[in-house]
Amino acid sequence: MPQVINRYEKKFGSRNYQFTDGKVDFIAIDAQTLDGKSEGNFTSATWNFVKNVSRDFSSNPRVLLTHIPLYRPDWTSCGPHRSSRIINQRISPSALNQEILYQNYITEEKSNLLLDMIRPVLILSGHDHDQCTVTHISKHGPVEEHTLGTISWQQGNLYPSFMLLTASNPLIHNSSSRGNAVLTQLCFLPAQTYIYIWYLFLFVLTLLVLLLWPTNGIGFSNHLGRFMGYIRSLEIFQGATKEKSEDENCEYEMIWGADGSMHLIKKTFEAPAKPSTERNVVERGTAVLRPTAKKQVSQEAGSSVSLDVNVQMQMDAMGTKFPRMNKSKTKMVIRRLIRTFRMLSVIAAVNVPLYMMLLFKDWIDQ
């Protein structure tokens, strides 16, 4: 414990200090030592500082700065700006010397003593990482305390915030208006979690585009021209088919009128029936096979053999095409994966260093 405090004072200075801004006195105390044993060096040093401040009869309004909030009863309402559950008092003493290792609030006795000796008009505290506004009743009147939320969403608060404080310059003699010398405004930062969710959605969308985008790109003008040409060809084909089907079964005849004018009259005709080249001879229920029928049977047998050969050759050709198609698809998938990996590498090379610099810029020694 002494080593930690010595290291803190060497880096940041005294644990208890006072400064004036405008016409307002700001008093910062080491709240972690207020409830320690009175014979302890750190506890006695903090209370000696508080006694010296109480003997200074300054007319300036005072603002008390403490990390641990002052005492409040369990389940005290924290106001509308709190997003997490209310934290009640919890004290963890040391098993070695009964010193306090952890506490959520300063004890009630020490809180009342602190209010009576310093007589602040405003108290600013932390430790809770979320908003909490309570009003304490002291001998000198009500005092408002603002427990400020964390400024980083990584500290358990999805809605980080900070407080803007305005200290007045003119001297205020009226004790009833001393509280108006300090004005506060709570300011919320954007919800960082939603920003990261949006980043994740854009990353997934980018990944899908890289995987599914055609390797040769998309020529919208070419596709549009082909589509319009296809529509036109369909219209021309349908018109020509209709005219042809109407003219196939019609013939035109020239007729001269009484006035000497010529007229064309469309006449339909029936197509002549095709002569039958085969007759079925039935004699007493028995079919007689003519020589022409035998010839036709032999031709059908030959055609069936040639058809089987052609089908077999087509199956062999398809069997050789399937491996080629599979190989081409495999190559296409590999090319897409390689292209996606290259694009992601470029995106990561640009964005990851920037993100790391913004995330850890506070850790870099100036």
Side-chain angles (χ1 to χ4, degrees):
M1 184 68 177
Q3 293 82 2
V4 175
I5 294 179
N6 293 332
R7 185 177 62 184
Y8 175 88
E9 292 181 341
K10 183 178 179 180
K11 184 68 175 179
F12 300 102
S14 176
R15 295 173 291 114
N16 305 289
Y17 58 92
Q18 178 182 1
F19 66 93
T20 302
D21 191 350
K23 294 297 181 179
V24 178
D25 295 336
F26 293 87
I27 301 170
I29 62 173
D30 181 15
Q32 286 88 338
T33 59
L34 289 176
D35 288 312
K37 292 184 177 181
S38 58
E39 62 270 14
N41 294 330
F42 302 113
T43 301
S44 60
T46 301
W47 281 111
N48 289 334
F49 172 78
V50 173
K51 292 177 182 178
N52 293 332
V53 172
S54 64
R55 297 190 186 102
D56 183 11
F57 297 99
S58 174
S59 59
N60 294 339
R62 292 173 175 175
V63 176
L64 176 61
L65 307 177
T66 170
H67 176 75
I68 300 178
L70 271 62
Y71 173 80
R72 64 196 64 168
D74 291 347
W75 307 112
T76 300
S77 176
C78 287
H81 299 298
R82 187 177 184 87
S83 58
S84 60
R85 64 180 182 87
I86 297 175
I87 298 177
N88 296 325
Q89 175 67 295
R90 180 170 67 91
I91 298 177
S92 300
S94 173
L96 182 61
N97 52 11
Q98 296 300 312
E99 287 286 353
I100 294 178
L101 297 179
Y102 179 86
Q103 60 184 139
N104 286 332
Y105 307 112
I106 302 174
T107 59
E108 185 177 8
E109 177 186 359
K110 298 302 174 61
S111 297
N112 294 331
L113 185 60
L114 202 62
L115 290 172
D116 295 339
M117 296 180 68
I118 295 182
R119 302 183 299 276
V121 298
L122 178 67
I123 304 172
L124 299 179
S125 59
H127 182 71
D128 197 4
H129 292 189
D130 205 349
Q131 311 296 331
C132 190
T133 301
V134 297
T135 301
H136 302 282
I137 304 300
S138 68
K139 295 180 180 179
H140 306 282
V143 182
E144 193 174 53
E145 177 183 0
H146 291 294
T147 301
L148 306 182
T150 178
I151 200 172
S152 173
W153 68 278
Q154 297 176 337
Q155 300 297 324
N157 190 350
L158 298 179
Y159 304 95
S161 61
F162 65 93
M163 178 167 283
L164 178 65
L165 186 143
T166 303
S168 63
N169 285 323
L171 185 62
I172 298 176
H173 299 282
N174 188 2
S175 59
S176 62
S177 60
R178 288 166 62 89
N180 297 328
V182 180
L183 302 177
T184 59
Q185 177 62 47
L186 184 61
C187 305
F188 284 93
L189 297 174
Q192 194 71 21
T193 306
Y194 298 146
I195 297 176
Y196 282 108
I197 292 175
W198 179 246
Y199 285 164
L200 180 62
F201 171 75
L202 292 179
F203 173 76
V204 173
L205 182 62
T206 302
L207 188 63
L208 292 176
V209 169
L210 292 177
L211 287 173
L212 303 179
W213 194 268
T215 55
N216 298 328
I218 297 179
F220 292 99
S221 59
N222 296 335
H223 286 281
L224 182 60
R226 293 177 182 175
F227 178 74
M228 296 302 296
Y230 177 72
I231 295 298
R232 294 192 189 97
S233 64
L234 286 179
E235 293 177 353
I236 295 173
F237 177 74
Q238 290 177 357
T241 305
K242 186 176 180 181
E243 293 178 358
K244 184 177 180 182
S245 60
E246 290 180 354
D247 294 340
E248 280 181 351
N249 299 326
C250 297
E251 63 179 4
Y252 294 90
E253 182 181 356
M254 290 187 301
I255 299 177
W256 296 89
D259 55 353
S261 60
M262 183 181 67
H263 302 279
L264 291 177
I265 298 177
K266 182 188 294 186
K267 292 184 178 181
T268 58
F269 65 93
E270 295 181 359
K274 295 181 180 180
S276 178
T277 58
E278 182 180 348
R279 292 183 180 178
N280 294 328
V281 179
V282 180
E283 296 181 358
R284 296 182 182 180
T286 304
V288 179
L289 187 61
R290 300 289 184 180
T292 55
K294 293 181 180 180
K295 183 179 181 181
Q296 184 176 358
V297 170
S298 62
Q299 290 178 355
E300 290 179 356
S303 62
S304 63
V305 173
S306 61
L307 181 61
D308 294 338
V309 173
N310 293 333
V311 170
Q312 185 65 31
M313 292 177 63
Q314 291 178 2
M315 292 296 292
D316 295 339
M318 292 176 63
T320 56
K321 286 182 180 179
F322 283 143
R324 293 180 182 177
M325 293 175 62
N326 294 333
K327 290 181 180 179
S328 62
K329 290 183 179 179
T330 304
K331 291 181 179 179
M332 182 184 66
V333 172
I334 293 174
R335 286 198 300 267
R336 289 180 182 273
L337 291 177
I338 294 175
R339 183 187 61 179
T340 303
F341 178 76
R342 289 177 180 175
M343 295 301 297
L344 290 179
S345 300
V346 173
I347 295 173
V350 175
N351 289 275
V352 170
L354 294 176
Y355 173 74
M356 298 300 292
M357 290 175 60
L358 293 175
L359 186 62
F360 300 107
K361 66 177 181 180
D362 294 336
W363 297 4
I364 301 175
D365 295 333
Q366 301 295 332

